[in-house]
Amino acid sequence: DRTVCEELVSKEMLFSLELLRHILKINIYNKIIMGIDPGERIGVAVIGDGVFVYGTVLMEVDATIELIKQLIEYSRARSILVRIGMFAGGSRIAVDLAKTLSHSNVRIELVDERHVSSLAKICSKILGRASRNIVSAYAIAIAGDKGLSVSIC
């Protein structure tokens, strides 16, 4: 059942964030960045205070939006940045997400993926055997100014 799988992914992500928080001995993250690589297979990468915490691949936009909402709602962070690749439905994810947000500590950026392809090659060496979609999501997450990002909210 898809709902059960989506729920497990959400719990796994939140557990990973909590585990790292305890390992780092911090009460709250300064910054969580979530990278989204949209497409037929949607890559997701979560970074807490500069450390790769979690990666997964989802098949549906609605499941991706729900996972992002779970991160925003339940993680402890001073700021959350959601960076979404602007191609293959990324703008739809950003707009749908922006409509539902009421948190002041959340920022959404669209990233031009053409400018992060060389970064993805480097990231694949860092993440090893991770899925290509997760590697791309990680590259989008850490792209920063190199990604030519456009802030949504």
Side-chain angles (χ1 to χ4, degrees), residues 69-110:
K69 287 180 184 178
Q70 294 287 316
L71 172 81
I72 292 166
E73 189 65 33
Y74 296 109
S75 61
R76 295 178 177 181
R78 287 185 179 86
S79 72
I80 297 173
L81 174 59
V82 181
R83 287 194 172 127
I84 305 169
M86 65 174 43
F87 301 117
S91 56
R92 178 192 159 209
I93 295 171
V95 169
D96 287 355
L97 188 61
K99 286 179 189 174
T100 64
L101 286 182
S102 61
H103 298 271
S104 61
N105 68 331
V106 179
R107 203 163 126 217
I108 302 170
E109 292 180 354
L110 282 172

mmCIF file of all heavy atoms in Angstrom, residues 69-110:
data_model
loop_
_atom_site.group_PDB
_atom_site.id
_atom_site.type_symbol
_atom_site.label_atom_id
_atom_site.label_comp_id
_atom_site.label_asym_id
_atom_site.label_seq_id
_atom_site.Cartn_x
_atom_site.Cartn_y
_atom_site.Cartn_z
ATOM 1 N N LYS A 69 6.418 18.515 3.684
ATOM 2 C CA LYS A 69 5.586 19.063 4.763
ATOM 3 C C LYS A 69 5.918 18.402 6.100
ATOM 4 O O LYS A 69 5.960 19.072 7.133
ATOM 5 C CB LYS A 69 4.104 18.865 4.448
ATOM 6 C CG LYS A 69 3.577 19.767 3.369
ATOM 7 C CD LYS A 69 2.103 19.467 3.165
ATOM 8 C CE LYS A 69 1.496 20.254 2.047
ATOM 9 N NZ LYS A 69 0.075 19.891 1.851
ATOM 10 N N GLN A 70 6.158 17.084 6.083
ATOM 11 C CA GLN A 70 6.524 16.371 7.300
ATOM 12 C C GLN A 70 7.851 16.902 7.854
ATOM 13 O O GLN A 70 7.993 17.103 9.058
ATOM 14 C CB GLN A 70 6.643 14.864 7.025
ATOM 15 C CG GLN A 70 5.349 14.196 6.662
ATOM 16 C CD GLN A 70 4.427 14.051 7.851
ATOM 17 O OE1 GLN A 70 4.849 13.669 8.928
ATOM 18 N NE2 GLN A 70 3.163 14.364 7.659
ATOM 19 N N LEU A 71 8.806 17.120 6.973
ATOM 20 C CA LEU A 71 10.099 17.667 7.391
ATOM 21 C C LEU A 71 9.898 19.025 8.056
ATOM 22 O O LEU A 71 10.443 19.292 9.136
ATOM 23 C CB LEU A 71 11.040 17.812 6.190
ATOM 24 C CG LEU A 71 12.344 18.548 6.482
ATOM 25 C CD1 LEU A 71 13.338 17.613 7.136
ATOM 26 C CD2 LEU A 71 12.922 19.142 5.232
ATOM 27 N N ILE A 72 9.119 19.876 7.425
ATOM 28 C CA ILE A 72 8.888 21.224 7.941
ATOM 29 C C ILE A 72 8.166 21.177 9.286
ATOM 30 O O ILE A 72 8.518 21.888 10.220
ATOM 31 C CB ILE A 72 8.098 22.062 6.910
ATOM 32 C CG1 ILE A 72 8.971 22.332 5.677
ATOM 33 C CG2 ILE A 72 7.588 23.360 7.522
ATOM 34 C CD1 ILE A 72 8.219 22.845 4.474
ATOM 35 N N GLU A 73 7.179 20.325 9.380
ATOM 36 C CA GLU A 73 6.335 20.266 10.573
ATOM 37 C C GLU A 73 7.049 19.662 11.782
ATOM 38 O O GLU A 73 6.903 20.143 12.905
ATOM 39 C CB GLU A 73 5.072 19.457 10.265
ATOM 40 C CG GLU A 73 4.025 19.510 11.345
ATOM 41 C CD GLU A 73 3.429 20.895 11.552
ATOM 42 O OE1 GLU A 73 3.301 21.657 10.573
ATOM 43 O OE2 GLU A 73 3.107 21.217 12.712
ATOM 44 N N TYR A 74 7.833 18.613 11.568
ATOM 45 C CA TYR A 74 8.327 17.835 12.702
ATOM 46 C C TYR A 74 9.823 17.929 12.994
ATOM 47 O O TYR A 74 10.278 17.410 14.009
ATOM 48 C CB TYR A 74 7.931 16.366 12.537
ATOM 49 C CG TYR A 74 6.438 16.192 12.563
ATOM 50 C CD1 TYR A 74 5.744 15.861 11.401
ATOM 51 C CD2 TYR A 74 5.719 16.393 13.733
ATOM 52 C CE1 TYR A 74 4.366 15.718 11.420
ATOM 53 C CE2 TYR A 74 4.339 16.259 13.756
ATOM 54 C CZ TYR A 74 3.671 15.917 12.597
ATOM 55 O OH TYR A 74 2.306 15.784 12.614
ATOM 56 N N SER A 75 10.592 18.537 12.123
ATOM 57 C CA SER A 75 12.028 18.623 12.419
ATOM 58 C C SER A 75 12.312 19.862 13.250
ATOM 59 O O SER A 75 11.605 20.857 13.168
ATOM 60 C CB SER A 75 12.841 18.639 11.124
ATOM 61 O OG SER A 75 12.495 19.761 10.357
ATOM 62 N N ARG A 76 13.354 19.777 14.034
ATOM 63 C CA ARG A 76 13.766 20.909 14.873
ATOM 64 C C ARG A 76 14.882 21.648 14.161
ATOM 65 O O ARG A 76 16.013 21.170 14.117
ATOM 66 C CB ARG A 76 14.270 20.402 16.210
ATOM 67 C CG ARG A 76 13.235 19.730 17.054
ATOM 68 C CD ARG A 76 13.897 19.256 18.307
ATOM 69 N NE ARG A 76 12.964 18.646 19.218
ATOM 70 C CZ ARG A 76 13.306 18.178 20.394
ATOM 71 N NH1 ARG A 76 14.566 18.241 20.795
ATOM 72 N NH2 ARG A 76 12.420 17.645 21.183
ATOM 73 N N ALA A 77 14.551 22.820 13.615
ATOM 74 C CA ALA A 77 15.560 23.597 12.892
ATOM 75 C C ALA A 77 15.238 25.081 12.962
ATOM 76 O O ALA A 77 14.076 25.475 12.897
ATOM 77 C CB ALA A 77 15.617 23.151 11.437
ATOM 78 N N ARG A 78 16.295 25.876 13.076
ATOM 79 C CA ARG A 78 16.106 27.327 13.039
ATOM 80 C C ARG A 78 15.670 27.776 11.650
ATOM 81 O O ARG A 78 14.881 28.690 11.506
ATOM 82 C CB ARG A 78 17.396 28.029 13.443
ATOM 83 C CG ARG A 78 17.681 27.906 14.918
ATOM 84 C CD ARG A 78 18.910 28.719 15.344
ATOM 85 N NE ARG A 78 19.109 28.587 16.769
ATOM 86 C CZ ARG A 78 19.782 27.593 17.348
ATOM 87 N NH1 ARG A 78 20.332 26.655 16.611
ATOM 88 N NH2 ARG A 78 19.910 27.541 18.660
ATOM 89 N N SER A 79 16.231 27.130 10.631
ATOM 90 C CA SER A 79 15.802 27.459 9.267
ATOM 91 C C SER A 79 15.798 26.197 8.411
ATOM 92 O O SER A 79 16.596 25.285 8.619
ATOM 93 C CB SER A 79 16.703 28.530 8.637
ATOM 94 O OG SER A 79 17.964 28.004 8.330
ATOM 95 N N ILE A 80 14.867 26.186 7.462
ATOM 96 C CA ILE A 80 14.749 25.074 6.522
ATOM 97 C C ILE A 80 14.743 25.658 5.124
ATOM 98 O O ILE A 80 13.986 26.584 4.824
ATOM 99 C CB ILE A 80 13.463 24.263 6.761
ATOM 100 C CG1 ILE A 80 13.485 23.633 8.155
ATOM 101 C CG2 ILE A 80 13.290 23.194 5.675
ATOM 102 C CD1 ILE A 80 12.192 22.950 8.552
ATOM 103 N N LEU A 81 15.610 25.127 4.287
ATOM 104 C CA LEU A 81 15.696 25.554 2.898
ATOM 105 C C LEU A 81 15.352 24.358 2.023
ATOM 106 O O LEU A 81 15.972 23.301 2.145
ATOM 107 C CB LEU A 81 17.108 26.063 2.582
ATOM 108 C CG LEU A 81 17.422 26.427 1.141
ATOM 109 C CD1 LEU A 81 16.489 27.519 0.621
ATOM 110 C CD2 LEU A 81 18.872 26.874 1.018
ATOM 111 N N VAL A 82 14.352 24.524 1.179
ATOM 112 C CA VAL A 82 13.966 23.474 0.245
ATOM 113 C C VAL A 82 14.387 23.945 -1.140
ATOM 114 O O VAL A 82 13.876 24.947 -1.645
ATOM 115 C CB VAL A 82 12.440 23.201 0.280
ATOM 116 C CG1 VAL A 82 12.073 22.087 -0.691
ATOM 117 C CG2 VAL A 82 11.986 22.856 1.696
ATOM 118 N N ARG A 83 15.351 23.241 -1.727
ATOM 119 C CA ARG A 83 15.829 23.578 -3.072
ATOM 120 C C ARG A 83 15.300 22.521 -4.041
ATOM 121 O O ARG A 83 15.546 21.332 -3.856
ATOM 122 C CB ARG A 83 17.347 23.604 -3.123
ATOM 123 C CG ARG A 83 17.933 24.813 -2.432
ATOM 124 C CD ARG A 83 19.400 24.974 -2.794
ATOM 125 N NE ARG A 83 19.903 26.219 -2.285
ATOM 126 C CZ ARG A 83 20.980 26.333 -1.525
ATOM 127 N NH1 ARG A 83 21.696 25.276 -1.209
ATOM 128 N NH2 ARG A 83 21.376 27.513 -1.100
ATOM 129 N N ILE A 84 14.611 22.997 -5.069
ATOM 130 C CA ILE A 84 13.939 22.108 -6.011
ATOM 131 C C ILE A 84 14.451 22.385 -7.417
ATOM 132 O O ILE A 84 14.483 23.538 -7.852
ATOM 133 C CB ILE A 84 12.413 22.322 -5.956
ATOM 134 C CG1 ILE A 84 11.902 22.150 -4.520
ATOM 135 C CG2 ILE A 84 11.695 21.378 -6.915
ATOM 136 C CD1 ILE A 84 10.471 22.583 -4.302
ATOM 137 N N GLY A 85 14.831 21.336 -8.125
ATOM 138 C CA GLY A 85 15.214 21.493 -9.526
ATOM 139 C C GLY A 85 14.033 22.046 -10.314
ATOM 140 O O GLY A 85 12.902 21.597 -10.134
ATOM 141 N N MET A 86 14.293 23.010 -11.180
ATOM 142 C CA MET A 86 13.173 23.717 -11.818
ATOM 143 C C MET A 86 12.604 23.008 -13.043
ATOM 144 O O MET A 86 11.599 23.427 -13.580
ATOM 145 C CB MET A 86 13.554 25.159 -12.155
ATOM 146 C CG MET A 86 14.639 25.320 -13.180
ATOM 147 S SD MET A 86 14.967 27.034 -13.690
ATOM 148 C CE MET A 86 14.936 27.955 -12.196
ATOM 149 N N PHE A 87 13.202 21.917 -13.467
ATOM 150 C CA PHE A 87 12.684 21.213 -14.634
ATOM 151 C C PHE A 87 11.866 19.994 -14.213
ATOM 152 O O PHE A 87 11.874 19.610 -13.049
ATOM 153 C CB PHE A 87 13.828 20.810 -15.563
ATOM 154 C CG PHE A 87 14.623 21.998 -16.042
ATOM 155 C CD1 PHE A 87 15.951 22.142 -15.717
ATOM 156 C CD2 PHE A 87 14.012 23.001 -16.780
ATOM 157 C CE1 PHE A 87 16.673 23.245 -16.140
ATOM 158 C CE2 PHE A 87 14.720 24.110 -17.199
ATOM 159 C CZ PHE A 87 16.053 24.240 -16.887
ATOM 160 N N ALA A 88 11.181 19.397 -15.165
ATOM 161 C CA ALA A 88 10.430 18.136 -14.968
ATOM 162 C C ALA A 88 9.443 18.213 -13.806
ATOM 163 O O ALA A 88 9.362 17.305 -12.990
ATOM 164 C CB ALA A 88 11.385 16.963 -14.789
ATOM 165 N N GLY A 89 8.709 19.303 -13.702
ATOM 166 C CA GLY A 89 7.684 19.416 -12.673
ATOM 167 C C GLY A 89 8.122 20.069 -11.385
ATOM 168 O O GLY A 89 7.343 20.179 -10.440
ATOM 169 N N GLY A 90 9.360 20.520 -11.310
ATOM 170 C CA GLY A 90 9.859 21.150 -10.093
ATOM 171 C C GLY A 90 9.116 22.407 -9.713
ATOM 172 O O GLY A 90 8.841 22.651 -8.535
ATOM 173 N N SER A 91 8.744 23.206 -10.705
ATOM 174 C CA SER A 91 8.028 24.449 -10.398
ATOM 175 C C SER A 91 6.648 24.149 -9.817
ATOM 176 O O SER A 91 6.173 24.862 -8.946
ATOM 177 C CB SER A 91 7.931 25.351 -11.623
ATOM 178 O OG SER A 91 7.333 24.670 -12.691
ATOM 179 N N ARG A 92 6.020 23.057 -10.276
ATOM 180 C CA ARG A 92 4.714 22.671 -9.713
ATOM 181 C C ARG A 92 4.860 22.306 -8.240
ATOM 182 O O ARG A 92 4.050 22.704 -7.400
ATOM 183 C CB ARG A 92 4.116 21.491 -10.471
ATOM 184 C CG ARG A 92 2.792 21.076 -9.838
ATOM 185 C CD ARG A 92 2.254 19.771 -10.318
ATOM 186 N NE ARG A 92 1.317 19.303 -9.295
ATOM 187 C CZ ARG A 92 1.069 18.064 -9.054
ATOM 188 N NH1 ARG A 92 1.647 17.115 -9.738
ATOM 189 N NH2 ARG A 92 0.215 17.730 -8.113
ATOM 190 N N ILE A 93 5.905 21.552 -7.917
ATOM 191 C CA ILE A 93 6.140 21.181 -6.516
ATOM 192 C C ILE A 93 6.340 22.441 -5.680
ATOM 193 O O ILE A 93 5.748 22.589 -4.611
ATOM 194 C CB ILE A 93 7.364 20.247 -6.387
ATOM 195 C CG1 ILE A 93 7.095 18.912 -7.091
ATOM 196 C CG2 ILE A 93 7.738 20.021 -4.921
ATOM 197 C CD1 ILE A 93 8.323 18.014 -7.210
ATOM 198 N N ALA A 94 7.145 23.371 -6.176
ATOM 199 C CA ALA A 94 7.437 24.609 -5.437
ATOM 200 C C ALA A 94 6.177 25.438 -5.217
ATOM 201 O O ALA A 94 5.926 25.920 -4.111
ATOM 202 C CB ALA A 94 8.489 25.426 -6.182
ATOM 203 N N VAL A 95 5.376 25.596 -6.253
ATOM 204 C CA VAL A 95 4.159 26.412 -6.148
ATOM 205 C C VAL A 95 3.151 25.746 -5.215
ATOM 206 O O VAL A 95 2.578 26.402 -4.338
ATOM 207 C CB VAL A 95 3.541 26.667 -7.545
ATOM 208 C CG1 VAL A 95 2.151 27.278 -7.427
ATOM 209 C CG2 VAL A 95 4.453 27.576 -8.351
ATOM 210 N N ASP A 96 2.923 24.440 -5.382
ATOM 211 C CA ASP A 96 1.990 23.724 -4.507
ATOM 212 C C ASP A 96 2.431 23.798 -3.056
ATOM 213 O O ASP A 96 1.616 23.972 -2.152
ATOM 214 C CB ASP A 96 1.854 22.257 -4.929
ATOM 215 C CG ASP A 96 1.060 22.078 -6.215
ATOM 216 O OD1 ASP A 96 0.526 23.086 -6.733
ATOM 217 O OD2 ASP A 96 0.982 20.940 -6.702
ATOM 218 N N LEU A 97 3.717 23.682 -2.827
ATOM 219 C CA LEU A 97 4.252 23.752 -1.471
ATOM 220 C C LEU A 97 4.104 25.156 -0.896
ATOM 221 O O LEU A 97 3.682 25.328 0.243
ATOM 222 C CB LEU A 97 5.719 23.323 -1.483
ATOM 223 C CG LEU A 97 6.393 23.142 -0.141
ATOM 224 C CD1 LEU A 97 5.705 22.059 0.674
ATOM 225 C CD2 LEU A 97 7.857 22.786 -0.349
ATOM 226 N N ALA A 98 4.427 26.162 -1.689
ATOM 227 C CA ALA A 98 4.354 27.554 -1.229
ATOM 228 C C ALA A 98 2.928 27.936 -0.822
ATOM 229 O O ALA A 98 2.734 28.718 0.106
ATOM 230 C CB ALA A 98 4.871 28.492 -2.311
ATOM 231 N N LYS A 99 1.933 27.370 -1.481
ATOM 232 C CA LYS A 99 0.529 27.668 -1.168
ATOM 233 C C LYS A 99 0.148 27.198 0.229
ATOM 234 O O LYS A 99 -0.750 27.766 0.849
ATOM 235 C CB LYS A 99 -0.398 26.970 -2.171
ATOM 236 C CG LYS A 99 -0.422 27.587 -3.536
ATOM 237 C CD LYS A 99 -1.364 26.781 -4.423
ATOM 238 C CE LYS A 99 -1.275 27.212 -5.868
ATOM 239 N NZ LYS A 99 -2.090 26.339 -6.744
ATOM 240 N N THR A 100 0.801 26.163 0.715
ATOM 241 C CA THR A 100 0.408 25.566 1.988
ATOM 242 C C THR A 100 1.285 25.963 3.167
ATOM 243 O O THR A 100 0.996 25.581 4.289
ATOM 244 C CB THR A 100 0.422 24.019 1.883
ATOM 245 O OG1 THR A 100 1.756 23.592 1.635
ATOM 246 C CG2 THR A 100 -0.495 23.533 0.780
ATOM 247 N N LEU A 101 2.339 26.713 2.919
ATOM 248 C CA LEU A 101 3.287 27.037 3.998
ATOM 249 C C LEU A 101 2.843 28.221 4.838
ATOM 250 O O LEU A 101 2.372 29.224 4.312
ATOM 251 C CB LEU A 101 4.663 27.347 3.423
ATOM 252 C CG LEU A 101 5.457 26.167 2.914
ATOM 253 C CD1 LEU A 101 6.807 26.635 2.420
ATOM 254 C CD2 LEU A 101 5.640 25.125 3.982
ATOM 255 N N SER A 102 3.039 28.085 6.130
ATOM 256 C CA SER A 102 2.782 29.205 7.034
ATOM 257 C C SER A 102 3.943 29.399 8.003
ATOM 258 O O SER A 102 3.848 30.159 8.940
ATOM 259 C CB SER A 102 1.489 28.958 7.811
ATOM 260 O OG SER A 102 1.616 27.780 8.575
ATOM 261 N N HIS A 103 5.036 28.692 7.755
ATOM 262 C CA HIS A 103 6.199 28.760 8.645
ATOM 263 C C HIS A 103 7.169 29.839 8.151
ATOM 264 O O HIS A 103 7.556 29.852 6.997
ATOM 265 C CB HIS A 103 6.925 27.410 8.690
ATOM 266 C CG HIS A 103 6.070 26.310 9.224
ATOM 267 N ND1 HIS A 103 6.003 26.023 10.556
ATOM 268 C CD2 HIS A 103 5.238 25.443 8.609
ATOM 269 C CE1 HIS A 103 5.162 25.018 10.745
ATOM 270 N NE2 HIS A 103 4.684 24.650 9.580
ATOM 271 N N SER A 104 7.570 30.699 9.057
ATOM 272 C CA SER A 104 8.466 31.791 8.673
ATOM 273 C C SER A 104 9.914 31.339 8.526
ATOM 274 O O SER A 104 10.727 32.045 7.941
ATOM 275 C CB SER A 104 8.374 32.925 9.686
ATOM 276 O OG SER A 104 8.772 32.448 10.957
ATOM 277 N N ASN A 105 10.257 30.165 9.050
ATOM 278 C CA ASN A 105 11.643 29.707 8.991
ATOM 279 C C ASN A 105 11.932 28.852 7.752
ATOM 280 O O ASN A 105 12.975 28.244 7.648
ATOM 281 C CB ASN A 105 11.999 28.927 10.255
ATOM 282 C CG ASN A 105 11.254 27.596 10.352
ATOM 283 O OD1 ASN A 105 10.153 27.455 9.840
ATOM 284 N ND2 ASN A 105 11.852 26.643 11.029
ATOM 285 N N VAL A 106 10.998 28.835 6.792
ATOM 286 C CA VAL A 106 11.133 27.990 5.603
ATOM 287 C C VAL A 106 11.290 28.860 4.356
ATOM 288 O O VAL A 106 10.560 29.830 4.166
ATOM 289 C CB VAL A 106 9.901 27.071 5.423
ATOM 290 C CG1 VAL A 106 10.039 26.229 4.169
ATOM 291 C CG2 VAL A 106 9.711 26.193 6.641
ATOM 292 N N ARG A 107 12.268 28.474 3.535
ATOM 293 C CA ARG A 107 12.476 29.161 2.259
ATOM 294 C C ARG A 107 12.488 28.109 1.151
ATOM 295 O O ARG A 107 13.055 27.029 1.321
ATOM 296 C CB ARG A 107 13.801 29.902 2.288
ATOM 297 C CG ARG A 107 13.835 31.042 1.304
ATOM 298 C CD ARG A 107 14.954 31.996 1.635
ATOM 299 N NE ARG A 107 15.723 32.110 0.404
ATOM 300 C CZ ARG A 107 17.008 32.211 0.349
ATOM 301 N NH1 ARG A 107 17.723 32.231 1.438
ATOM 302 N NH2 ARG A 107 17.620 32.320 -0.794
ATOM 303 N N ILE A 108 11.874 28.439 0.026
ATOM 304 C CA ILE A 108 11.849 27.536 -1.122
ATOM 305 C C ILE A 108 12.596 28.207 -2.263
ATOM 306 O O ILE A 108 12.367 29.380 -2.552
ATOM 307 C CB ILE A 108 10.403 27.241 -1.573
ATOM 308 C CG1 ILE A 108 9.596 26.633 -0.433
ATOM 309 C CG2 ILE A 108 10.396 26.309 -2.782
ATOM 310 C CD1 ILE A 108 8.112 26.551 -0.719
ATOM 311 N N GLU A 109 13.481 27.451 -2.898
ATOM 312 C CA GLU A 109 14.220 27.971 -4.054
ATOM 313 C C GLU A 109 14.107 26.993 -5.212
ATOM 314 O O GLU A 109 14.171 25.781 -5.013
ATOM 315 C CB GLU A 109 15.697 28.151 -3.730
ATOM 316 C CG GLU A 109 15.995 29.241 -2.739
ATOM 317 C CD GLU A 109 17.490 29.366 -2.457
ATOM 318 O OE1 GLU A 109 18.292 28.551 -2.939
ATOM 319 O OE2 GLU A 109 17.848 30.303 -1.723
ATOM 320 N N LEU A 110 13.955 27.542 -6.404
ATOM 321 C CA LEU A 110 14.052 26.739 -7.623
ATOM 322 C C LEU A 110 15.476 26.851 -8.123
ATOM 323 O O LEU A 110 16.036 27.949 -8.184
ATOM 324 C CB LEU A 110 13.086 27.257 -8.693
ATOM 325 C CG LEU A 110 11.628 26.868 -8.514
ATOM 326 C CD1 LEU A 110 10.759 27.595 -9.531
ATOM 327 C CD2 LEU A 110 11.444 25.371 -8.642
#
